[in-house]
Amino acid sequence: MRLALGVEYDGSAYSGWQRLSQPGTPGVPSVQAALEQALSQVADHPVEVTCAGRTDAGVHGECQVVHFDSHAHRNPRGWTLGATSCLPRDIAIRWCVPVDDTFHARFGARARRYRYSILNRSVRPALFRHYLAWVREPLDADAMHRAGQHLLGENDFSSFRSAQCEAAHARRELQAISVSRRGEVIEVTVQANAFLHHMVRNIVGSLLLVGSGQRTPDWIGEVLAQRDRTLAGPTAVAAGLVFIGPLYPVDCGLPPDVTLSP
């Protein structure tokens, strides 16, 4: 039987999603390894999971979707509560749904969504510091939003791709991007068919240059066209980034928070 899970996690203590440790973080656990260990305990046999999209060290997941196969007879509630009880307190399974054997968490996703949160005030955060980037200089969220619109559509995002990116090509379809302010917090939300390594953090780093007045909104479009990473802004810190989750077609039968609107 194939099952899909919605997984929530705080990535602060992990090397990232992927089972193998990231370079420079030997011995640091991964979210995938912790999840597989917990599921294997409930299943009473080794379990391997496939995720919708890998996240880096320090990046959080609001509803990561994974699939796995098991011959163990457990109902969805048993998988959800049983595995969560075996997990560290910074990882939880939100739901479990039986799916067709052809369902694939990665290849079946039609879109992926991220949110980047920035505390924009003169004093660093004490509360929620693991979920916020901090910028002390005043930022113009409206200018950042206008800049982001230059990235919409299918483009070559080489200017916003890390040197460690292993993707075969840099063409991605950015379906939506918005920047809004709520009091002292600025939120950047993005949706694309897929993302390159550090793509969101590199986009945010460039938008920060616009928000601080160092660049104009039109500059983002010029950087995109040049396909040169050295022309874009620095990579924003990981702490403010949350993988909201993927989106799947209605016929996959998954919960509404990861299902495309009809």
Side-chain angles (χ1 to χ4, degrees):
M1 173 181 287
R2 179 158 294 187
L3 298 125
L5 304 177
V7 184
E8 176 180 294
Y9 55 90
D10 179 331
S12 303
Y14 297 93
S15 61
W17 169 266
Q18 194 171 7
R19 187 186 307 110
L20 298 177
S21 294
Q22 306 275 336
T25 55
V28 178
S30 70
V31 180
Q32 180 184 6
L35 179 62
E36 290 178 340
Q37 182 177 6
L39 291 170
S40 297
Q41 286 183 252
V42 176
D44 198 27
H45 66 75
V47 170
E48 292 188 5
V49 302
T50 299
C51 73
R54 293 179 296 180
T55 52
D56 296 329
V59 178
H60 317 295
E62 188 171 299
C63 194
Q64 171 75 269
V65 173
V66 309
H67 80 258
F68 69 98
D69 296 322
S70 175
H71 57 261
H73 297 289
R74 310 281 186 270
N75 61 32
R77 177 178 171 84
W79 285 111
T80 301
L81 299 183
T84 298
S85 70
C86 299
L87 284 164
R89 294 186 64 84
D90 48 10
I91 307 175
I93 297 173
R94 295 177 50 170
W95 47 259
C96 173
V97 176
V99 291
D100 188 86
D101 288 346
T102 60
F103 174 82
H104 197 284
R106 178 185 174 191
F107 299 131
R110 296 294 178 265
R112 293 158 176 85
R113 299 162 295 161
Y114 281 90
R115 178 178 62 250
Y116 195 94
S117 301
I118 306 158
L119 180 66
N120 188 209
R121 71 181 189 193
S122 59
V123 180
R124 62 171 174 79
L127 295 176
F128 312 114
R129 61 190 180 279
H130 298 305
Y131 314 108
L132 292 167
W134 172 47
V135 177
R136 58 164 61 90
E137 297 82 8
L139 295 172
D140 185 340
D142 291 335
M144 294 169 67
H145 178 78
R146 294 196 302 274
Q149 308 317 298
H150 290 280
L151 302 174
L152 290 173
E154 183 176 333
N155 294 289
D156 184 317
F157 282 91
S158 294
S159 294
F160 304 98
R161 174 186 194 175
S162 79
Q164 294 76 38
C165 184
E166 298 176 352
H169 61 84
R171 294 201 69 82
R172 296 293 185 270
E173 181 192 6
L174 193 68
Q175 299 164 347
I177 180 168
S178 67
V179 184
S180 60
R181 176 185 285 275
R182 293 189 300 166
E184 295 177 326
V185 176
I186 292 174
E187 289 188 348
V188 182
T189 58
V190 291
Q191 177 176 313
N193 63 336
F195 289 92
L196 302 164
H197 188 234
H198 286 177
M199 178 174 160
V200 178
R201 291 166 59 189
N202 291 337
I203 287 174
V204 171
S206 299
L207 292 178
L208 288 173
L209 296 180
V210 175
S212 63
Q214 298 176 60
R215 298 286 190 272
T216 66
D218 292 344
W219 169 76
I220 292 285
E222 297 168 5
V223 170
L224 176 69
Q226 291 298 315
R227 305 177 185 178
D228 184 347
R229 174 68 187 97
T230 64
L231 300 178
T235 304
V237 299
L241 188 58
V242 174
F243 179 44
I244 301 172
L247 291 170
Y248 297 89
V250 174
D251 59 9
C252 290
L254 299 181
D257 57 345
V258 294
T259 299
L260 288 163
S261 299

